[in-house]
């Protein structure tokens, strides 16, 4: 791999071709300059001018490339140091858990901003969801499973309920999940006329219910946090943690921490999304599943860790 972030994109091959043409022109110009001079001094002067003209851009690029390589080497060294503290710590596990408390909401999941912001402490390492979608990931269907068994099966690892405080109104809620009919009356009627049958199973979708509560009944909560330091973000390193806490004692019973490095150092060339690409350089590493996108590898990391500690009933 060459030094610049642009080489992480398909444009690297194009630039290589342009470089060959550039140096070919430089050689031709140098030959012409030497032949054009009438004296040895004039030949030397013309050759010097050609070398300076054609050498300025490569010289500047070489200097910038050296600086970029040095910065990347420093980032790699710091990343390797951070990785020594990454991993999972489980002091104890708990069986037959009906529900948990999601202690802190994540912001809306968007590729256009948060995954390109070098300084935003929104835990790009562990950020696999946003807003209520995070709660949906933690729930299983508790009513209407037979209406769409295939969809219900996708959520079988979750909990019966999740309690949380909605930051939008400050109210505590208990969330549950069920199968809801997602077709309009007009769509149902069109289906009935076309097939002579009622509502098909695939029209039912996973949906959330919530009711206000005065206090939490679950005994275990889940916190997430961005553990990046200013120095980490200077080097395009992001760190995050997920912690399971016994709410009766306020003691953590398990924690997962991880880091990832953006080797392109924030380059947006070729439409790059820096933190999304950093998934390739993570510790602990995310599973490299065939046919699954880089970010897709991380989408069940939070739930997988939580259910490893708090076994759903």
């Amino acid at each position: 791999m060459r030094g610049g972030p642009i080489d992480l994109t398909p444009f690297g091959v194009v630039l290589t071709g342009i470089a060959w043409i550039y140096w070919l022109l430089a050689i031709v110009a140098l030959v012409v300059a030497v032949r054009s001079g009438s004296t040895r001094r004039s030949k030397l002067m013309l050759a010097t001018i050609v070398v300076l003209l054609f050498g300025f851009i490569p010289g500047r690029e070489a200097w910038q490339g050296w600086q970029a390589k040095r910065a990347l080497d420093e980032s790699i060294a710091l990343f390797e140091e951070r990785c020594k503290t990454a991993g999972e710590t489980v002091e104890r596990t708990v069986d037959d858990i009906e529900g948990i408390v999601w202690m802190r909401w994540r912001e809306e999941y968007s590729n256009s901003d948060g995954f390109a912001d070098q300084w935003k402490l929104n835990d790009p390492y562990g950020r696999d969801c946003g807003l209520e979608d995070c709660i949906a990931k933690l729930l299983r269907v508790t009513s209407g499973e037979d209406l769409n068994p295939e969809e219900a099966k996708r959520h079988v690892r979750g909990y019966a309920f999740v309690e949380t405080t909605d930051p939008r109104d400050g109210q505590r809620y208990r969330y549950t999940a069920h199968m809801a009919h997602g077709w309009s009356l007009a769509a149902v009627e069109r289906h009935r006329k076309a097939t002579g049958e009622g509502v098909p199973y695939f029209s039912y979708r996973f949906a959330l219910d919530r009711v206000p509560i005065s206090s939490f009944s679950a005994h275990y909560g889940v916190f997430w946090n961005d553990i990046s330091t200013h120095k980490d973000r200077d080097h395009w390193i992001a760190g995050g943690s997920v912690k399971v806490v016994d709410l009766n004692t306020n003691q953590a019973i398990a924690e997962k921490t991880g880091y990832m490095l953006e080797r392109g150092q924030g380059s947006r060339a070729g439409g790059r999304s820096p933190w999304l690409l950093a998934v390739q350089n993570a510790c602990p590493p995310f599973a490299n599943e065939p046919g699954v996108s880089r970010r897709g590898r991380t989408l069940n990391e939070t739930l997988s860790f939580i259910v490893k500690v708090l076994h759903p009933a």
Side-chain angles (χ1 to χ4, degrees):
M1 184 179 70
R2 297 186 359 242
I6 192 71
D7 296 308
L8 298 174
T9 74
F11 291 107
V13 177
V14 176
L15 291 180
T16 300
I18 294 175
W20 279 103
I21 296 173
Y22 183 87
W23 286 116
L24 181 61
L25 291 175
I27 294 171
V28 172
L30 185 60
V31 171
V32 171
V34 171
R35 290 182 175 179
S36 299
S38 57
T39 64
R40 184 175 181 180
R41 183 176 179 180
S42 63
K43 291 177 184 291
L44 181 60
M45 184 177 297
L46 290 172
T48 301
I49 292 173
V50 171
V51 170
L52 290 175
L53 286 175
F54 278 89
F56 173 75
I57 294 177
R60 185 184 62 180
E61 290 295 317
W63 170 254
Q64 292 175 346
W66 178 80
Q67 288 183 313
K69 183 179 184 305
R70 184 180 66 171
L72 180 57
D73 288 344
E74 291 177 355
S75 296
I76 292 173
L78 180 59
F79 175 65
E80 291 174 348
E81 187 66 27
R82 294 288 185 262
C83 286
K84 294 177 181 178
T85 63
E88 297 180 3
T89 301
V90 179
E91 293 188 3
R92 62 185 174 94
T93 61
V94 188
D95 295 329
D96 298 325
I97 298 296
E98 288 286 346
I100 61 175
V101 181
W102 183 240
M103 300 299 298
R104 182 184 179 190
W105 281 40
R106 291 190 183 274
E107 64 184 21
E108 186 176 3
Y109 189 92
S110 171
N111 292 354
S112 61
D113 50 11
F115 289 113
D117 193 324
Q118 181 176 1
W119 303 104
K120 197 168 189 178
L121 300 179
N122 58 355
D123 183 21
Y125 174 85
R127 187 178 170 206
D128 56 2
C129 60
L131 303 180
E132 288 182 322
D133 287 339
C134 297
I135 297 169
K137 282 178 174 291
L138 301 173
L139 287 167
R140 68 172 182 267
V141 177
T142 54
S143 64
E145 299 97 322
D146 57 322
L147 297 174
N148 189 337
E150 291 184 11
E151 180 69 13
K153 192 180 298 183
R154 297 191 184 99
H155 303 268
V156 71
R157 291 197 301 165
Y159 299 94
F161 67 87
V162 172
E163 296 173 332
T164 188
T165 299
D166 189 333
R168 297 170 295 189
D169 60 12
Q171 171 66 50
R172 293 188 182 95
Y173 292 96
R174 176 179 296 165
Y175 282 80
T176 55
H178 69 288
M179 284 299 167
H181 187 271
W183 281 16
S184 65
L185 293 177
V188 172
E189 187 59 28
R190 286 195 299 269
H191 179 79
R192 195 186 307 277
K193 288 181 178 180
T195 65
E197 300 176 354
V199 179
Y201 79 91
F202 53 79
S203 68
Y204 290 91
R205 292 290 180 263
F206 184 88
L208 300 181
D209 281 322
R210 74 175 190 175
V211 294
I213 55 176
S214 58
S215 60
F216 297 141
S217 62
H219 298 305
Y220 295 92
V222 178
F223 294 81
W224 68 267
N225 192 35
D226 191 303
I227 57 175
S228 309
T229 66
H230 186 83
K231 184 177 181 180
D232 291 335
R233 291 307 182 97
D234 272 342
H235 291 82
W236 278 95
I237 296 170
S241 77
V242 174
K243 188 179 296 186
V244 179
V245 175
D246 184 333
L247 298 178
N248 293 324
T249 63
N250 287 325
Q251 296 296 313
I253 65 170
E255 183 176 13
K256 177 181 179 179
T257 60
Y259 292 89
M260 59 186 186
L261 167 66
E262 209 301 80
R263 293 184 65 95
Q265 299 291 280
S267 171
R268 303 297 299 275
R272 295 180 80 253
S273 187
W275 291 128
L276 286 180
L277 291 172
V279 168
Q280 301 173 94
N281 306 291
C283 60
F286 299 113
N288 188 9
E289 301 177 34
V292 179
S293 68
R294 294 185 181 97
R295 195 61 195 172
R297 302 173 197 168
T298 73
L299 293 181
N300 292 309
E301 289 290 316
T302 299
L303 176 61
S304 296
F305 175 66
I306 297 171
V307 299
K308 186 186 299 185
V309 180
L310 304 175
H311 305 154

